[in-house]
Amino acid sequence: PGDVVRVSLWWRALRAMAIDYTVFVQLIGPDGRLHGQVDSWPVQGTYATSEWIPGRDVSDQYEVRLEPDAPPGEYRVVVGLYELATMERLRVLNPEGKPIGDSHIVGRLDVRR
C-alpha cells in the first residue's frame, strides 16, 4: 500500500481514429473497489490516438499509486480508453468482433502489508 505500480502498455491501432482517446489504468482490489487510478493521454500526452498509424506499435508507460490504506490481497490491473468529452469508453471486442466489455485486465499483483 502507498507504493507506485509501473504499468507498461503496448497499443496497436487497427484503423485510423478521428478521436483523441484518454487512457485509464486502474488498480482494482480484492474487495472489488478502485484503489488507484491514472487517466492520461497516451505517451504522456505526446502521441494522440488520432495520430496513430494503423498497424504500428505504440509503447505507453504509466505509474499508478496504490492508496496507502489499500487492503492486502490480489489486485487486477485494468486498462481502457475513453472519449473525454462524453466519458464514453471504447468497447473491447473478441476475435470475432463481438463486444465483450469496456476494459481489459492486463495483469495482477499481490499486495501485502
Side-chain angles (χ1 to χ4, degrees):
D3 283 347
V4 170
V5 176
R6 289 175 179 78
V7 179
S8 298
L9 302 174
W10 286 94
W11 303 101
R12 181 180 296 156
L14 300 178
R15 64 179 104 354
M17 294 180 272
I19 296 171
D20 289 327
Y21 289 100
T22 300
V23 176
F24 65 87
V25 181
Q26 300 175 330
L27 305 177
I28 308 296
D31 56 0
R33 293 186 43 234
L34 180 67
H35 290 282
Q37 178 169 337
V38 169
D39 291 54
S40 176
W41 285 323
V43 194
Q44 293 81 41
T46 64
Y47 194 20
T49 57
S50 64
E51 299 172 355
W52 289 6
I53 298 167
R56 185 173 292 170
D57 291 341
V58 176
S59 174
D60 199 14
Q61 311 298 313
Y62 293 87
E63 292 186 351
V64 186
R65 181 160 306 279
L66 187 61
E67 293 175 342
D69 61 347
E74 184 178 87
Y75 282 69
R76 292 174 286 139
V77 181
V78 177
V79 303
L81 296 162
Y82 65 93
E83 184 178 357
L84 186 58
T86 64
M87 300 301 286
E88 184 176 349
R89 290 184 177 187
L90 213 56
R91 294 175 298 162
V92 175
L93 307 177
N94 68 13
E96 291 77 39
K98 297 197 186 311
I100 58 172
D102 61 8
S103 63
H104 183 68
I105 298 171
V106 296
R108 297 181 187 275
L109 61 109
D110 189 34
V111 173
R112 298 182 185 147
R113 291 206 184 266

